[in-house]
Amino acid sequence: MVRQNKGMKATITVAMSNYLEAGAIVAGAGGLTLWVEYLQLTDMWVGLLGALSANGFGAAIGALIGGALVDRYGRKFIYKYDLLLYMAGMLLIVFAFSFPMLLAGYVIVGIAVGALIPAAWTYIAEEAPPNERAARVGWSQFAWSIGPAITLFLSVALAPLGLLGSRLIFAQLFVVAIITWVLQQQINESQIWEKEQEKARLTQAGQAVAKGSLKDLFTVKANLKALLFLVGIYFFWNLVAGTMGYFMPYIYETVGGLSAAQANLLQGVLWTFTVIATFAVFIKLGDKVNRKLLFGIGGVLGIIAWLILTFGGMGMTELALFVTIWGLAAGFGAQAFYALFASELFHTKYRAQAQGLMFCIVRIGVGLISLVVPAMISKIGFQTSGMIMIAFLIISLVIGVIMAPETRNRSLEAIQQERYGKSA
């Protein structure tokens, strides 16, 4: 019991990385119109902020670097330095008085959080008991959801302060990062990674075991199959979720005519439903109920939500239905299952590097679409843009329902041997 409690403490400590990433994305979204007004930003500059931030290319670069470092030097390695970089970026944003300064802060924070995510999801899954792995990974998703909820409600409360309120929201993330950094210095290294390193030193024949390489992710059949499945479900889903994470308040304001405070309140309510569903469905049922079934229900609900928003207009009834249905669906949607499956389907020597590569691909996609979202809305209209989002969600759903594996209550070692052979 004591060991489990220590494991849960480490899980929550590492999961705070997700709070900091999602909080950074939504802090930028919640104050976006204020920065647009203050710095007189054009559509191109707004798109560039979204593209290079924690929501796009910045995170993509960080994930690729972080994944490789974490497999090579250990899961705990990244926690020594990464949040120091995050805090430096946050300070740039808090005190930004020009677009280059704001953009630099966004890029630095993006790189920092991108490097953290593969380490967090890998560490949590490796330290979890087999019958609690979905629940433990679920706590990282819980932190991911509660970060935006808190950030958006703070945006509403601090709205009378204007841009100062936005700066204060970034400042609270700086403070949380300090606390998280201190706590993360106290966690132990992943036991599974340490065992793999011991095994990799010498085989029984006395020959060194080759470390996993980026090339192996494409040439080893088990790796390639997992990459295609996971990128398939997460890339297309995240094109929608990533757009929402950064641009949804902006859409509520420019398309729906809501005030900044109303938009942030609405999005805060959405994330609150995500927190509830993450706990009640993914954490409580992810280790007990058929995962393909749960994935399918979440995927269908997400499509229904976007059908309502796209074709029902942005009246209060439609918006209430949208935030409720999408909020619940996201709690056990593609990201939650991606984080779980990505940790289960790869050999220990590839696990973090594979997650870094996939997260990089996904965030490049979000970065590219972020460059054109403001122009899409103004040029082709929201309804056409919404239909594109629905198509992305359908692709993710179909891939997941067809290819999702059933890995409940199995150890990572057992899954690894099945996929890579008994010599793995």
Side-chain angles (χ1 to χ4, degrees):
M1 180 63 71
V2 173
R3 184 177 296 176
Q4 277 199 339
N5 287 338
K6 287 183 178 179
M8 273 303 299
K9 180 180 178 181
T11 294
I12 299 301
T13 299
V14 171
M16 286 304 296
S17 302
N18 295 53
Y19 175 98
L20 293 169
E21 183 191 13
I25 295 170
V26 175
L32 184 58
T33 54
L34 297 170
W35 289 101
V36 169
E37 183 179 347
Y38 172 62
L39 298 174
Q40 297 297 300
L41 303 182
T42 64
D43 278 354
M44 184 183 72
W45 288 355
V46 171
L48 196 61
L49 278 176
L52 296 178
S53 70
N55 202 39
F57 297 137
I61 295 168
L64 199 60
I65 297 170
L69 291 175
V70 168
D71 273 343
R72 185 173 181 84
Y73 297 109
R75 312 325 191 193
K76 185 181 176 180
F77 170 81
I78 205 75
Y79 299 119
K80 292 181 181 179
Y81 312 105
D82 193 82
L83 283 181
L84 300 177
L85 184 65
Y86 179 95
M87 287 183 268
M90 277 297 165
L91 287 178
L92 278 173
I93 297 172
V94 169
F95 296 106
F97 56 82
S98 67
F99 177 70
M101 192 174 178
L102 181 66
L103 183 62
Y106 271 48
V107 171
I108 292 170
V109 169
I111 292 171
V113 297
L116 281 173
I117 296 307
W121 289 343
T122 297
Y123 183 92
I124 290 170
E126 289 182 346
E127 289 292 281
N131 63 339
E132 294 181 20
R133 194 158 48 244
R136 295 289 183 92
V137 171
W139 283 111
S140 71
Q141 300 306 302
F142 186 90
W144 190 296
S145 305
I146 205 168
I150 291 173
T151 300
L152 286 161
F153 288 134
L154 280 174
S155 296
V156 175
L158 298 175
L161 298 180
L163 187 63
L164 175 60
S166 181
R167 296 183 190 274
L168 291 174
I169 290 165
F170 283 108
Q172 67 89 19
L173 290 170
F174 174 83
V175 173
V176 174
I178 294 175
I179 298 169
T180 303
W181 182 82
V182 171
L183 292 174
Q184 288 180 348
Q185 305 317 297
Q186 303 169 29
I187 65 173
N188 296 319
E189 182 56 83
S190 160
Q191 294 182 44
I192 287 179
W193 183 83
E194 288 184 328
K195 289 179 182 177
E196 183 65 25
Q197 294 309 295
E198 183 64 30
K199 177 183 175 182
R201 288 188 182 99
L202 288 175
T203 65
Q204 290 181 353
Q207 298 297 316
V209 176
K211 293 181 179 294
S213 68
L214 187 63
K215 180 183 176 182
D216 291 341
L217 295 179
F218 299 96
T219 57
V220 175
K221 183 178 179 180
N223 288 340
L224 184 58
K225 184 178 179 181
L227 281 174
L228 292 174
F229 162 60
L230 290 163
V231 171
I233 63 170
Y234 193 42
F235 179 86
F236 292 102
W237 184 86
N238 205 249
L239 287 176
V240 180
T243 297
M244 290 179 62
Y246 191 79
F247 287 107
M248 209 62 209
Y250 179 79
I251 291 171
Y252 291 147
E253 294 171 49
T254 57
V255 180
L258 276 63
S259 67
Q262 289 173 327
N264 289 330
L265 179 61
L266 197 63
Q267 200 68 351
V269 171
L270 183 153
W271 281 104
T272 301
F273 280 117
T274 301
V275 170
I276 294 169
T278 300
F279 180 78
V281 181
F282 196 78
I283 291 175
K284 292 297 185 180
L285 301 179
D287 294 300
K288 300 174 183 177
V289 176
N290 184 283
R291 289 171 178 173
K292 187 174 290 191
L293 175 64
L294 287 181
F295 180 92
I297 293 171
V300 169
L301 287 176
I303 292 168
I304 291 171
W306 266 89
L307 285 169
I308 292 170
L309 188 70
T310 301
F311 299 106
M314 286 200 184
M316 290 313 298
T317 300
E318 290 81 6
L319 287 174
L321 286 171
F322 173 74
V323 301
T324 302
I325 298 172
W326 177 269
L328 293 173
F332 56 106
Q335 178 164 290
F337 281 100
Y338 164 82
L340 177 61
F341 290 142
S343 297
E344 292 181 331
L345 300 183
F346 290 98
H347 193 292
T348 302
K349 64 184 176 182
Y350 306 120
R351 191 167 289 131
Q353 188 172 195
Q355 290 195 45
L357 173 64
M358 292 185 293
F359 202 74
C360 175
I361 293 169
V362 168
R363 286 308 171 92
I364 286 173
V366 175
L368 289 173
I369 200 169
S370 294
L371 288 171
V372 299
V373 165
M376 281 173 60
I377 295 169
S378 61
K379 301 297 183 184
I380 66 174
F382 179 73
Q383 190 171 92
T384 302
S385 301
M387 291 170 66
I388 294 171
M389 299 297 167
I390 292 167
F392 292 152
L393 293 174
I394 291 172
I395 294 170
S396 172
L397 173 63
V398 171
I399 294 172
V401 169
I402 292 173
M403 297 183 65
E406 184 52 77
T407 48
R408 280 180 295 157
N409 302 321
R410 301 182 62 196
S411 69
L412 292 178
E413 291 87 347
I415 298 170
Q416 183 170 294
Q417 285 187 9
E418 179 185 4
R419 293 180 56 78
Y420 294 88
K422 291 185 178 181
S423 61

